[in-house]
Amino acid sequence: MNKKSIRDVVVKDKRVFCRVDFNVPMQEGTITDDRRIRAALPTIKYLVEQGARVVLASHLGRPKGEVVEELRLDQVAERLAQLLEQPITKLDEAVGIEVEQKVKNMQAGDIVLLENVRFYPGEEQNDPGLARAFANFADLYVNDAFGTSHRAHASTAGIAEYIPAVAGFLMQRELEILGHALANPKRPFTAIVGGAKVKDKIGVIENLLDKVDTLLIGGGLAYTFVHAMGHEIGRSLFEPDKVDLAKKFIQQADEKNVRLVMPIDSVVADEFSPNPRTETVAIDAIPEEMRALDIGPKTAKLFADIVSSSKLVIWNGPMGVFEFEKFAQGTYAVARALAESDAFSIVGGGDSAAAIEQSGLTDKVDHISTGGGASLELLEGKELPGIQVLADKEKED
Ligand SMILES: Nc1ncnc2c1ncn2[C@@H]1O[C@H](COP(=O)(O)OP(=O)(O)O)[C@@H](O)[C@H]1O
Ligand SMILES: O=C(OP(=O)(O)O)[C@H](O)COP(=O)(O)O
């Protein structure tokens, strides 16, 4: 990695603003997978051991610039303190006089966790005022939030305008592993894209078509494509604004000789709940009043066969609503295929990592990345804003 890390600078006695990605999956107020918190521990422990004063900042969910009570970071703070076996101070704000006072009074080795930075509209707008307010707390900016490094926000990019910026250990590790796998990809190279962030993920597909041999589309993302192919999709997840783009990608895949594979069947349900009435139907036979919540068994087999003949697989986004057992089978089938294949396998994303954990196959995957969208954008060949702002290592003569 050509970026400076926390090992390349003096952190002792420094006030460090450390951006982490504690955007963990939650269900009914409980953290269902704490991998992203555990992944940041080496950086936090190192900073504490070196005698820094550590101010942690993260987002949780998408509160869109407003305070959303369920998206406060109290649960996260509790879990972090347990994992660190050290008390931490959780604040109810991320900026302001009280925060400044608390940070000013910190001793070497203390840890403060700020409130969800996305409660402030300036965060996603990358507002210089907010970025400067964050920078005022600290002498050094450490970005360890790989999963959010594709966002140009005040706490991921803007802050680096004002104070020196370096990478944390998680960021460093992600860039090394992903960089190595993607520099000279083994072939056949397959990407699997699913999940629910349709608007975000559809945008990456154009560039993926220049990188991969095969692109499998599942999860909620698939139905905008299925609609673009002229089929009825009932009440399935759908982005009407993206239909033309989906049509364009289907055509481009053909021109570029990329195998673009869509579901051929789906498990549909009469409502979005753990135990609705379900049916398995062909992709061109989704009933009007039903919604597709998982890929069907024929698609699962098709995807599994493609995975087993690949040499490199990068997967982001579950194949169905895996949080409900009834719709987890497609995701499990693809996870099993990945576990059994010889391919170098990378699974990225908060929910995708949780799904792999739930399938019990975590140890069989070569790399579980903390970033879904971030790893896809890295794969596209983009320079990610949260990485671009970090100081470069001096070139050796
Ligand atoms: N067919 C579908 N319809 C609705 N939601 C879906 C569907 N398939 C998957 N999902 C949802 O996608 C979510 C994860 O999407 P996303 O955030 O894009 O993945 P990741 O966090 O791994 O990047 C899960 O909560 C899952 O329930
Ligand atoms: O969960 C995240 O991304 P991911 O779902 O692509 O893994 C990151 O925390 C970024 O969140 P965002 O997509 O709301 O900016």
Side-chain angles (χ1 to χ4, degrees), residues 194-197 201 219-220 223 237 272 292-294 316-323 348-352 372-373:
K197 291 180 179 171
K201 287 181 189 172
Y223 300 95
L237 206 62
F272 188 92
L293 296 185
D294 196 7
N316 169 238
M319 297 292 98
V321 181
F322 73 98
E323 295 91 339
D351 290 299
S352 305

mmCIF file with all atom_site columns, all heavy atoms in Angstrom, residues 194-197 201 219-220 223 237 272 292-294 316-323 348-352 372-373, ligand 1:
data_model
loop_
_atom_site.group_PDB
_atom_site.id
_atom_site.type_symbol
_atom_site.label_atom_id
_atom_site.label_alt_id
_atom_site.label_comp_id
_atom_site.label_asym_id
_atom_site.label_entity_id
_atom_site.label_seq_id
_atom_site.pdbx_PDB_ins_code
_atom_site.Cartn_x
_atom_site.Cartn_y
_atom_site.Cartn_z
_atom_site.occupancy
_atom_site.B_iso_or_equiv
_atom_site.pdbx_formal_charge
_atom_site.auth_seq_id
_atom_site.auth_comp_id
_atom_site.auth_asym_id
_atom_site.auth_atom_id
_atom_site.pdbx_PDB_model_num
ATOM   1   N N   . GLY A 1 194 ? -25.823 -8.619  -5.425  1.00 0.00 ? 194 GLY A N   1
ATOM   2   C CA  . GLY A 1 194 ? -27.213 -8.763  -4.986  1.00 0.00 ? 194 GLY A CA  1
ATOM   3   C C   . GLY A 1 194 ? -27.524 -7.698  -3.964  1.00 0.00 ? 194 GLY A C   1
ATOM   4   O O   . GLY A 1 194 ? -26.966 -6.601  -3.997  1.00 0.00 ? 194 GLY A O   1
ATOM   5   N N   . GLY A 1 195 ? -28.397 -8.018  -3.022  1.00 0.00 ? 195 GLY A N   1
ATOM   6   C CA  . GLY A 1 195 ? -28.712 -7.067  -1.954  1.00 0.00 ? 195 GLY A CA  1
ATOM   7   C C   . GLY A 1 195 ? -29.809 -6.095  -2.326  1.00 0.00 ? 195 GLY A C   1
ATOM   8   O O   . GLY A 1 195 ? -30.528 -6.289  -3.323  1.00 0.00 ? 195 GLY A O   1
ATOM   9   N N   . ALA A 1 196 ? -29.903 -5.034  -1.525  1.00 0.00 ? 196 ALA A N   1
ATOM   10  C CA  . ALA A 1 196 ? -31.048 -4.135  -1.646  1.00 0.00 ? 196 ALA A CA  1
ATOM   11  C C   . ALA A 1 196 ? -30.677 -2.713  -2.070  1.00 0.00 ? 196 ALA A C   1
ATOM   12  O O   . ALA A 1 196 ? -31.558 -1.926  -2.398  1.00 0.00 ? 196 ALA A O   1
ATOM   13  C CB  . ALA A 1 196 ? -31.777 -4.090  -0.305  1.00 0.00 ? 196 ALA A CB  1
ATOM   14  N N   . LYS A 1 197 ? -29.379 -2.361  -2.065  1.00 0.00 ? 197 LYS A N   1
ATOM   15  C CA  . LYS A 1 197 ? -28.992 -0.981  -2.407  1.00 0.00 ? 197 LYS A CA  1
ATOM   16  C C   . LYS A 1 197 ? -28.947 -0.848  -3.927  1.00 0.00 ? 197 LYS A C   1
ATOM   17  O O   . LYS A 1 197 ? -27.875 -0.693  -4.529  1.00 0.00 ? 197 LYS A O   1
ATOM   18  C CB  . LYS A 1 197 ? -27.645 -0.636  -1.770  1.00 0.00 ? 197 LYS A CB  1
ATOM   19  C CG  . LYS A 1 197 ? -27.715 -0.536  -0.241  1.00 0.00 ? 197 LYS A CG  1
ATOM   20  C CD  . LYS A 1 197 ? -26.363 -0.190  0.361   1.00 0.00 ? 197 LYS A CD  1
ATOM   21  C CE  . LYS A 1 197 ? -26.450 -0.060  1.869   1.00 0.00 ? 197 LYS A CE  1
ATOM   22  N NZ  . LYS A 1 197 ? -25.137 0.054   2.514   1.00 0.00 ? 197 LYS A NZ  1
ATOM   23  N N   . LYS A 1 201 ? -25.791 0.123   -6.463  1.00 0.00 ? 201 LYS A N   1
ATOM   24  C CA  . LYS A 1 201 ? -25.048 -0.976  -7.078  1.00 0.00 ? 201 LYS A CA  1
ATOM   25  C C   . LYS A 1 201 ? -25.219 -1.059  -8.579  1.00 0.00 ? 201 LYS A C   1
ATOM   26  O O   . LYS A 1 201 ? -24.321 -1.520  -9.275  1.00 0.00 ? 201 LYS A O   1
ATOM   27  C CB  . LYS A 1 201 ? -25.449 -2.290  -6.421  1.00 0.00 ? 201 LYS A CB  1
ATOM   28  C CG  . LYS A 1 201 ? -24.853 -2.361  -5.024  1.00 0.00 ? 201 LYS A CG  1
ATOM   29  C CD  . LYS A 1 201 ? -25.176 -3.620  -4.304  1.00 0.00 ? 201 LYS A CD  1
ATOM   30  C CE  . LYS A 1 201 ? -24.722 -3.483  -2.860  1.00 0.00 ? 201 LYS A CE  1
ATOM   31  N NZ  . LYS A 1 201 ? -25.165 -4.602  -2.050  1.00 0.00 ? 201 LYS A NZ  1
ATOM   32  N N   . GLY A 1 219 ? -30.595 -11.248 -5.614  1.00 0.00 ? 219 GLY A N   1
ATOM   33  C CA  . GLY A 1 219 ? -31.105 -10.359 -4.568  1.00 0.00 ? 219 GLY A CA  1
ATOM   34  C C   . GLY A 1 219 ? -32.123 -9.367  -5.115  1.00 0.00 ? 219 GLY A C   1
ATOM   35  O O   . GLY A 1 219 ? -32.667 -9.531  -6.220  1.00 0.00 ? 219 GLY A O   1
ATOM   36  N N   . GLY A 1 220 ? -32.350 -8.297  -4.355  1.00 0.00 ? 220 GLY A N   1
ATOM   37  C CA  . GLY A 1 220 ? -33.336 -7.308  -4.751  1.00 0.00 ? 220 GLY A CA  1
ATOM   38  C C   . GLY A 1 220 ? -32.933 -6.555  -6.012  1.00 0.00 ? 220 GLY A C   1
ATOM   39  O O   . GLY A 1 220 ? -33.775 -6.018  -6.736  1.00 0.00 ? 220 GLY A O   1
ATOM   40  N N   . TYR A 1 223 ? -34.477 -7.483  -9.862  1.00 0.00 ? 223 TYR A N   1
ATOM   41  C CA  . TYR A 1 223 ? -35.827 -7.336  -10.432 1.00 0.00 ? 223 TYR A CA  1
ATOM   42  C C   . TYR A 1 223 ? -35.978 -6.108  -11.322 1.00 0.00 ? 223 TYR A C   1
ATOM   43  O O   . TYR A 1 223 ? -36.845 -6.090  -12.208 1.00 0.00 ? 223 TYR A O   1
ATOM   44  C CB  . TYR A 1 223 ? -36.886 -7.461  -9.319  1.00 0.00 ? 223 TYR A CB  1
ATOM   45  C CG  . TYR A 1 223 ? -36.692 -8.838  -8.722  1.00 0.00 ? 223 TYR A CG  1
ATOM   46  C CD1 . TYR A 1 223 ? -35.899 -9.023  -7.585  1.00 0.00 ? 223 TYR A CD1 1
ATOM   47  C CD2 . TYR A 1 223 ? -37.135 -9.961  -9.404  1.00 0.00 ? 223 TYR A CD2 1
ATOM   48  C CE1 . TYR A 1 223 ? -35.604 -10.289 -7.111  1.00 0.00 ? 223 TYR A CE1 1
ATOM   49  C CE2 . TYR A 1 223 ? -36.852 -11.236 -8.948  1.00 0.00 ? 223 TYR A CE2 1
ATOM   50  C CZ  . TYR A 1 223 ? -36.077 -11.393 -7.807  1.00 0.00 ? 223 TYR A CZ  1
ATOM   51  O OH  . TYR A 1 223 ? -35.775 -12.648 -7.371  1.00 0.00 ? 223 TYR A OH  1
ATOM   52  N N   . LEU A 1 237 ? -38.762 -5.612  -5.268  1.00 0.00 ? 237 LEU A N   1
ATOM   53  C CA  . LEU A 1 237 ? -37.967 -4.379  -5.200  1.00 0.00 ? 237 LEU A CA  1
ATOM   54  C C   . LEU A 1 237 ? -37.718 -3.872  -6.621  1.00 0.00 ? 237 LEU A C   1
ATOM   55  O O   . LEU A 1 237 ? -37.382 -4.659  -7.508  1.00 0.00 ? 237 LEU A O   1
ATOM   56  C CB  . LEU A 1 237 ? -36.634 -4.709  -4.515  1.00 0.00 ? 237 LEU A CB  1
ATOM   57  C CG  . LEU A 1 237 ? -35.921 -3.584  -3.808  1.00 0.00 ? 237 LEU A CG  1
ATOM   58  C CD1 . LEU A 1 237 ? -36.776 -3.053  -2.663  1.00 0.00 ? 237 LEU A CD1 1
ATOM   59  C CD2 . LEU A 1 237 ? -34.602 -4.088  -3.250  1.00 0.00 ? 237 LEU A CD2 1
ATOM   60  N N   . PHE A 1 272 ? -44.085 -9.189  3.039   1.00 0.00 ? 272 PHE A N   1
ATOM   61  C CA  . PHE A 1 272 ? -42.699 -9.150  3.532   1.00 0.00 ? 272 PHE A CA  1
ATOM   62  C C   . PHE A 1 272 ? -42.738 -9.464  5.013   1.00 0.00 ? 272 PHE A C   1
ATOM   63  O O   . PHE A 1 272 ? -42.973 -8.582  5.857   1.00 0.00 ? 272 PHE A O   1
ATOM   64  C CB  . PHE A 1 272 ? -42.096 -7.755  3.283   1.00 0.00 ? 272 PHE A CB  1
ATOM   65  C CG  . PHE A 1 272 ? -40.633 -7.683  3.589   1.00 0.00 ? 272 PHE A CG  1
ATOM   66  C CD1 . PHE A 1 272 ? -39.687 -7.921  2.609   1.00 0.00 ? 272 PHE A CD1 1
ATOM   67  C CD2 . PHE A 1 272 ? -40.187 -7.387  4.874   1.00 0.00 ? 272 PHE A CD2 1
ATOM   68  C CE1 . PHE A 1 272 ? -38.327 -7.849  2.887   1.00 0.00 ? 272 PHE A CE1 1
ATOM   69  C CE2 . PHE A 1 272 ? -38.828 -7.323  5.166   1.00 0.00 ? 272 PHE A CE2 1
ATOM   70  C CZ  . PHE A 1 272 ? -37.903 -7.561  4.168   1.00 0.00 ? 272 PHE A CZ  1
ATOM   71  N N   . ALA A 1 292 ? -40.776 -11.064 -5.019  1.00 0.00 ? 292 ALA A N   1
ATOM   72  C CA  . ALA A 1 292 ? -39.702 -12.067 -5.055  1.00 0.00 ? 292 ALA A CA  1
ATOM   73  C C   . ALA A 1 292 ? -38.714 -11.778 -3.925  1.00 0.00 ? 292 ALA A C   1
ATOM   74  O O   . ALA A 1 292 ? -38.108 -10.707 -3.878  1.00 0.00 ? 292 ALA A O   1
ATOM   75  C CB  . ALA A 1 292 ? -38.992 -12.007 -6.404  1.00 0.00 ? 292 ALA A CB  1
ATOM   76  N N   . LEU A 1 293 ? -38.557 -12.746 -3.015  1.00 0.00 ? 293 LEU A N   1
ATOM   77  C CA  . LEU A 1 293 ? -37.684 -12.505 -1.857  1.00 0.00 ? 293 LEU A CA  1
ATOM   78  C C   . LEU A 1 293 ? -36.464 -13.423 -1.822  1.00 0.00 ? 293 LEU A C   1
ATOM   79  O O   . LEU A 1 293 ? -35.646 -13.335 -0.914  1.00 0.00 ? 293 LEU A O   1
ATOM   80  C CB  . LEU A 1 293 ? -38.483 -12.627 -0.546  1.00 0.00 ? 293 LEU A CB  1
ATOM   81  C CG  . LEU A 1 293 ? -39.602 -11.589 -0.341  1.00 0.00 ? 293 LEU A CG  1
ATOM   82  C CD1 . LEU A 1 293 ? -40.241 -11.730 1.038   1.00 0.00 ? 293 LEU A CD1 1
ATOM   83  C CD2 . LEU A 1 293 ? -39.100 -10.162 -0.522  1.00 0.00 ? 293 LEU A CD2 1
ATOM   84  N N   . ASP A 1 294 ? -36.361 -14.332 -2.782  1.00 0.00 ? 294 ASP A N   1
ATOM   85  C CA  . ASP A 1 294 ? -35.139 -15.152 -2.875  1.00 0.00 ? 294 ASP A CA  1
ATOM   86  C C   . ASP A 1 294 ? -35.028 -15.663 -4.303  1.00 0.00 ? 294 ASP A C   1
ATOM   87  O O   . ASP A 1 294 ? -36.038 -15.743 -5.025  1.00 0.00 ? 294 ASP A O   1
ATOM   88  C CB  . ASP A 1 294 ? -35.209 -16.336 -1.885  1.00 0.00 ? 294 ASP A CB  1
ATOM   89  C CG  . ASP A 1 294 ? -33.847 -16.994 -1.656  1.00 0.00 ? 294 ASP A CG  1
ATOM   90  O OD1 . ASP A 1 294 ? -32.827 -16.454 -2.147  1.00 0.00 ? 294 ASP A OD1 1
ATOM   91  O OD2 . ASP A 1 294 ? -33.798 -18.052 -0.985  1.00 0.00 ? 294 ASP A OD2 1
ATOM   92  N N   . ASN A 1 316 ? -20.932 -9.481  -3.472  1.00 0.00 ? 316 ASN A N   1
ATOM   93  C CA  . ASN A 1 316 ? -21.515 -8.481  -2.572  1.00 0.00 ? 316 ASN A CA  1
ATOM   94  C C   . ASN A 1 316 ? -23.032 -8.468  -2.706  1.00 0.00 ? 316 ASN A C   1
ATOM   95  O O   . ASN A 1 316 ? -23.562 -8.285  -3.794  1.00 0.00 ? 316 ASN A O   1
ATOM   96  C CB  . ASN A 1 316 ? -20.969 -7.080  -2.871  1.00 0.00 ? 316 ASN A CB  1
ATOM   97  C CG  . ASN A 1 316 ? -21.765 -6.016  -2.141  1.00 0.00 ? 316 ASN A CG  1
ATOM   98  O OD1 . ASN A 1 316 ? -22.326 -5.114  -2.750  1.00 0.00 ? 316 ASN A OD1 1
ATOM   99  N ND2 . ASN A 1 316 ? -21.879 -6.144  -0.838  1.00 0.00 ? 316 ASN A ND2 1
ATOM   100 N N   . GLY A 1 317 ? -23.699 -8.642  -1.596  1.00 0.00 ? 317 GLY A N   1
ATOM   101 C CA  . GLY A 1 317 ? -25.156 -8.534  -1.560  1.00 0.00 ? 317 GLY A CA  1
ATOM   102 C C   . GLY A 1 317 ? -25.826 -9.890  -1.543  1.00 0.00 ? 317 GLY A C   1
ATOM   103 O O   . GLY A 1 317 ? -25.639 -10.684 -2.475  1.00 0.00 ? 317 GLY A O   1
ATOM   104 N N   . PRO A 1 318 ? -26.590 -10.183 -0.491  1.00 0.00 ? 318 PRO A N   1
ATOM   105 C CA  . PRO A 1 318 ? -27.260 -11.487 -0.389  1.00 0.00 ? 318 PRO A CA  1
ATOM   106 C C   . PRO A 1 318 ? -28.240 -11.739 -1.539  1.00 0.00 ? 318 PRO A C   1
ATOM   107 O O   . PRO A 1 318 ? -28.739 -10.795 -2.152  1.00 0.00 ? 318 PRO A O   1
ATOM   108 C CB  . PRO A 1 318 ? -28.021 -11.396 0.933   1.00 0.00 ? 318 PRO A CB  1
ATOM   109 C CG  . PRO A 1 318 ? -27.614 -10.143 1.598   1.00 0.00 ? 318 PRO A CG  1
ATOM   110 C CD  . PRO A 1 318 ? -26.837 -9.311  0.652   1.00 0.00 ? 318 PRO A CD  1
ATOM   111 N N   . MET A 1 319 ? -28.489 -13.027 -1.806  1.00 0.00 ? 319 MET A N   1
ATOM   112 C CA  . MET A 1 319 ? -29.359 -13.423 -2.915  1.00 0.00 ? 319 MET A CA  1
ATOM   113 C C   . MET A 1 319 ? -30.841 -13.267 -2.591  1.00 0.00 ? 319 MET A C   1
ATOM   114 O O   . MET A 1 319 ? -31.692 -13.336 -3.473  1.00 0.00 ? 319 MET A O   1
ATOM   115 C CB  . MET A 1 319 ? -29.074 -14.889 -3.306  1.00 0.00 ? 319 MET A CB  1
ATOM   116 C CG  . MET A 1 319 ? -27.683 -15.129 -3.819  1.00 0.00 ? 319 MET A CG  1
ATOM   117 S SD  . MET A 1 319 ? -27.416 -14.329 -5.421  1.00 0.00 ? 319 MET A SD  1
ATOM   118 C CE  . MET A 1 319 ? -26.593 -12.836 -4.958  1.00 0.00 ? 319 MET A CE  1
ATOM   119 N N   . GLY A 1 320 ? -31.121 -13.132 -1.291  1.00 0.00 ? 320 GLY A N   1
ATOM   120 C CA  . GLY A 1 320 ? -32.519 -12.992 -0.873  1.00 0.00 ? 320 GLY A CA  1
ATOM   121 C C   . GLY A 1 320 ? -32.558 -12.386 0.517   1.00 0.00 ? 320 GLY A C   1
ATOM   122 O O   . GLY A 1 320 ? -31.526 -11.985 1.076   1.00 0.00 ? 320 GLY A O   1
ATOM   123 N N   . VAL A 1 321 ? -33.766 -12.324 1.071   1.00 0.00 ? 321 VAL A N   1
ATOM   124 C CA  . VAL A 1 321 ? -33.933 -11.752 2.408   1.00 0.00 ? 321 VAL A CA  1
ATOM   125 C C   . VAL A 1 321 ? -33.520 -12.829 3.423   1.00 0.00 ? 321 VAL A C   1
ATOM   126 O O   . VAL A 1 321 ? -34.352 -13.499 4.031   1.00 0.00 ? 321 VAL A O   1
ATOM   127 C CB  . VAL A 1 321 ? -35.393 -11.267 2.606   1.00 0.00 ? 321 VAL A CB  1
ATOM   128 C CG1 . VAL A 1 321 ? -35.589 -10.643 3.978   1.00 0.00 ? 321 VAL A CG1 1
ATOM   129 C CG2 . VAL A 1 321 ? -35.742 -10.243 1.534   1.00 0.00 ? 321 VAL A CG2 1
ATOM   130 N N   . PHE A 1 322 ? -32.200 -12.984 3.565   1.00 0.00 ? 322 PHE A N   1
ATOM   131 C CA  . PHE A 1 322 ? -31.637 -14.114 4.338   1.00 0.00 ? 322 PHE A CA  1
ATOM   132 C C   . PHE A 1 322 ? -31.977 -13.996 5.826   1.00 0.00 ? 322 PHE A C   1
ATOM   133 O O   . PHE A 1 322 ? -31.866 -14.970 6.564   1.00 0.00 ? 322 PHE A O   1
ATOM   134 C CB  . PHE A 1 322 ? -30.113 -14.157 4.156   1.00 0.00 ? 322 PHE A CB  1
ATOM   135 C CG  . PHE A 1 322 ? -29.417 -13.049 4.898   1.00 0.00 ? 322 PHE A CG  1
ATOM   136 C CD1 . PHE A 1 322 ? -28.856 -13.280 6.155   1.00 0.00 ? 322 PHE A CD1 1
ATOM   137 C CD2 . PHE A 1 322 ? -29.369 -11.773 4.382   1.00 0.00 ? 322 PHE A CD2 1
ATOM   138 C CE1 . PHE A 1 322 ? -28.249 -12.251 6.867   1.00 0.00 ? 322 PHE A CE1 1
ATOM   139 C CE2 . PHE A 1 322 ? -28.769 -10.740 5.082   1.00 0.00 ? 322 PHE A CE2 1
ATOM   140 C CZ  . PHE A 1 322 ? -28.221 -10.972 6.321   1.00 0.00 ? 322 PHE A CZ  1
ATOM   141 N N   . GLU A 1 323 ? -32.384 -12.783 6.262   1.00 0.00 ? 323 GLU A N   1
ATOM   142 C CA  . GLU A 1 323 ? -32.724 -12.611 7.678   1.00 0.00 ? 323 GLU A CA  1
ATOM   143 C C   . GLU A 1 323 ? -33.923 -13.494 8.046   1.00 0.00 ? 323 GLU A C   1
ATOM   144 O O   . GLU A 1 323 ? -34.104 -13.839 9.207   1.00 0.00 ? 323 GLU A O   1
ATOM   145 C CB  . GLU A 1 323 ? -33.072 -11.147 7.980   1.00 0.00 ? 323 GLU A CB  1
ATOM   146 C CG  . GLU A 1 323 ? -31.907 -10.161 7.809   1.00 0.00 ? 323 GLU A CG  1
ATOM   147 C CD  . GLU A 1 323 ? -31.818 -9.562  6.404   1.00 0.00 ? 323 GLU A CD  1
ATOM   148 O OE1 . GLU A 1 323 ? -32.358 -10.155 5.440   1.00 0.00 ? 323 GLU A OE1 1
ATOM   149 O OE2 . GLU A 1 323 ? -31.175 -8.502  6.260   1.00 0.00 ? 323 GLU A OE2 1
ATOM   150 N N   . GLY A 1 348 ? -17.970 -9.360  0.392   1.00 0.00 ? 348 GLY A N   1
ATOM   151 C CA  . GLY A 1 348 ? -17.906 -8.022  0.990   1.00 0.00 ? 348 GLY A CA  1
ATOM   152 C C   . GLY A 1 348 ? -19.272 -7.489  1.359   1.00 0.00 ? 348 GLY A C   1
ATOM   153 O O   . GLY A 1 348 ? -20.281 -7.829  0.725   1.00 0.00 ? 348 GLY A O   1
ATOM   154 N N   . GLY A 1 349 ? -19.290 -6.642  2.398   1.00 0.00 ? 349 GLY A N   1
ATOM   155 C CA  . GLY A 1 349 ? -20.535 -5.968  2.777   1.00 0.00 ? 349 GLY A CA  1
ATOM   156 C C   . GLY A 1 349 ? -21.024 -6.403  4.142   1.00 0.00 ? 349 GLY A C   1
ATOM   157 O O   . GLY A 1 349 ? -20.822 -7.553  4.544   1.00 0.00 ? 349 GLY A O   1
ATOM   158 N N   . GLY A 1 350 ? -21.650 -5.452  4.864   1.00 0.00 ? 350 GLY A N   1
ATOM   159 C CA  . GLY A 1 350 ? -22.109 -5.726  6.220   1.00 0.00 ? 350 GLY A CA  1
ATOM   160 C C   . GLY A 1 350 ? -23.092 -6.888  6.264   1.00 0.00 ? 350 GLY A C   1
ATOM   161 O O   . GLY A 1 350 ? -22.933 -7.828  7.049   1.00 0.00 ? 350 GLY A O   1
ATOM   162 N N   . ASP A 1 351 ? -24.104 -6.850  5.380   1.00 0.00 ? 351 ASP A N   1
ATOM   163 C CA  . ASP A 1 351 ? -25.122 -7.903  5.417   1.00 0.00 ? 351 ASP A CA  1
ATOM   164 C C   . ASP A 1 351 ? -24.620 -9.187  4.791   1.00 0.00 ? 351 ASP A C   1
ATOM   165 O O   . ASP A 1 351 ? -24.976 -10.275 5.241   1.00 0.00 ? 351 ASP A O   1
ATOM   166 C CB  . ASP A 1 351 ? -26.384 -7.430  4.689   1.00 0.00 ? 351 ASP A CB  1
ATOM   167 C CG  . ASP A 1 351 ? -27.089 -6.339  5.473   1.00 0.00 ? 351 ASP A CG  1
ATOM   168 O OD1 . ASP A 1 351 ? -27.508 -6.607  6.611   1.00 0.00 ? 351 ASP A OD1 1
ATOM   169 O OD2 . ASP A 1 351 ? -27.174 -5.215  4.973   1.00 0.00 ? 351 ASP A OD2 1
ATOM   170 N N   . SER A 1 352 ? -23.792 -9.063  3.764   1.00 0.00 ? 352 SER A N   1
ATOM   171 C CA  . SER A 1 352 ? -23.259 -10.278 3.122   1.00 0.00 ? 352 SER A CA  1
ATOM   172 C C   . SER A 1 352 ? -22.385 -11.042 4.113   1.00 0.00 ? 352 SER A C   1
ATOM   173 O O   . SER A 1 352 ? -22.470 -12.279 4.208   1.00 0.00 ? 352 SER A O   1
ATOM   174 C CB  . SER A 1 352 ? -22.440 -9.917  1.889   1.00 0.00 ? 352 SER A CB  1
ATOM   175 O OG  . SER A 1 352 ? -23.214 -9.137  1.020   1.00 0.00 ? 352 SER A OG  1
ATOM   176 N N   . GLY A 1 372 ? -18.785 -3.619  1.139   1.00 0.00 ? 372 GLY A N   1
ATOM   177 C CA  . GLY A 1 372 ? -19.503 -4.185  0.001   1.00 0.00 ? 372 GLY A CA  1
ATOM   178 C C   . GLY A 1 372 ? -19.386 -3.233  -1.179  1.00 0.00 ? 372 GLY A C   1
ATOM   179 O O   . GLY A 1 372 ? -18.644 -3.489  -2.134  1.00 0.00 ? 372 GLY A O   1
ATOM   180 N N   . GLY A 1 373 ? -20.085 -2.089  -1.067  1.00 0.00 ? 373 GLY A N   1
ATOM   181 C CA  . GLY A 1 373 ? -20.007 -1.074  -2.114  1.00 0.00 ? 373 GLY A CA  1
ATOM   182 C C   . GLY A 1 373 ? -18.566 -0.638  -2.335  1.00 0.00 ? 373 GLY A C   1
ATOM   183 O O   . GLY A 1 373 ? -18.129 -0.452  -3.478  1.00 0.00 ? 373 GLY A O   1
HETATM 184 N N1  . LIG B 2 .   ? -35.199 -9.974  -3.193  1.00 0.00 ? 1   LIG B N1  1
HETATM 185 C C1  . LIG B 2 .   ? -34.987 -9.093  -2.209  1.00 0.00 ? 1   LIG B C1  1
HETATM 186 N N2  . LIG B 2 .   ? -35.956 -8.193  -1.881  1.00 0.00 ? 1   LIG B N2  1
HETATM 187 C C2  . LIG B 2 .   ? -35.748 -7.304  -0.871  1.00 0.00 ? 1   LIG B C2  1
HETATM 188 N N3  . LIG B 2 .   ? -34.622 -7.221  -0.135  1.00 0.00 ? 1   LIG B N3  1
HETATM 189 C C3  . LIG B 2 .   ? -33.641 -8.095  -0.428  1.00 0.00 ? 1   LIG B C3  1
HETATM 190 C C4  . LIG B 2 .   ? -33.763 -9.068  -1.473  1.00 0.00 ? 1   LIG B C4  1
HETATM 191 N N4  . LIG B 2 .   ? -32.637 -9.795  -1.504  1.00 0.00 ? 1   LIG B N4  1
HETATM 192 C C5  . LIG B 2 .   ? -31.826 -9.316  -0.534  1.00 0.00 ? 1   LIG B C5  1
HETATM 193 N N5  . LIG B 2 .   ? -32.417 -8.310  0.129   1.00 0.00 ? 1   LIG B N5  1
HETATM 194 C C6  . LIG B 2 .   ? -31.913 -7.551  1.289   1.00 0.00 ? 1   LIG B C6  1
HETATM 195 O O1  . LIG B 2 .   ? -30.705 -6.933  0.967   1.00 0.00 ? 1   LIG B O1  1
HETATM 196 C C7  . LIG B 2 .   ? -30.115 -6.523  2.201   1.00 0.00 ? 1   LIG B C7  1
HETATM 197 C C8  . LIG B 2 .   ? -28.625 -6.380  2.057   1.00 0.00 ? 1   LIG B C8  1
HETATM 198 O O2  . LIG B 2 .   ? -28.356 -5.506  0.987   1.00 0.00 ? 1   LIG B O2  1
HETATM 199 P P1  . LIG B 2 .   ? -27.044 -4.603  0.898   1.00 0.00 ? 1   LIG B P1  1
HETATM 200 O O3  . LIG B 2 .   ? -27.027 -3.609  1.996   1.00 0.00 ? 1   LIG B O3  1
HETATM 201 O O4  . LIG B 2 .   ? -27.036 -4.110  -0.503  1.00 0.00 ? 1   LIG B O4  1
HETATM 202 O O5  . LIG B 2 .   ? -25.885 -5.690  1.133   1.00 0.00 ? 1   LIG B O5  1
HETATM 203 P P2  . LIG B 2 .   ? -24.462 -5.519  1.870   1.00 0.00 ? 1   LIG B P2  1
HETATM 204 O O6  . LIG B 2 .   ? -24.726 -4.906  3.235   1.00 0.00 ? 1   LIG B O6  1
HETATM 205 O O7  . LIG B 2 .   ? -23.917 -6.897  1.976   1.00 0.00 ? 1   LIG B O7  1
HETATM 206 O O8  . LIG B 2 .   ? -23.679 -4.619  0.981   1.00 0.00 ? 1   LIG B O8  1
HETATM 207 C C9  . LIG B 2 .   ? -30.506 -7.578  3.213   1.00 0.00 ? 1   LIG B C9  1
HETATM 208 O O9  . LIG B 2 .   ? -31.057 -6.946  4.338   1.00 0.00 ? 1   LIG B O9  1
HETATM 209 C C10 . LIG B 2 .   ? -31.541 -8.432  2.467   1.00 0.00 ? 1   LIG B C10 1
HETATM 210 O O10 . LIG B 2 .   ? -32.681 -8.716  3.236   1.00 0.00 ? 1   LIG B O10 1
#
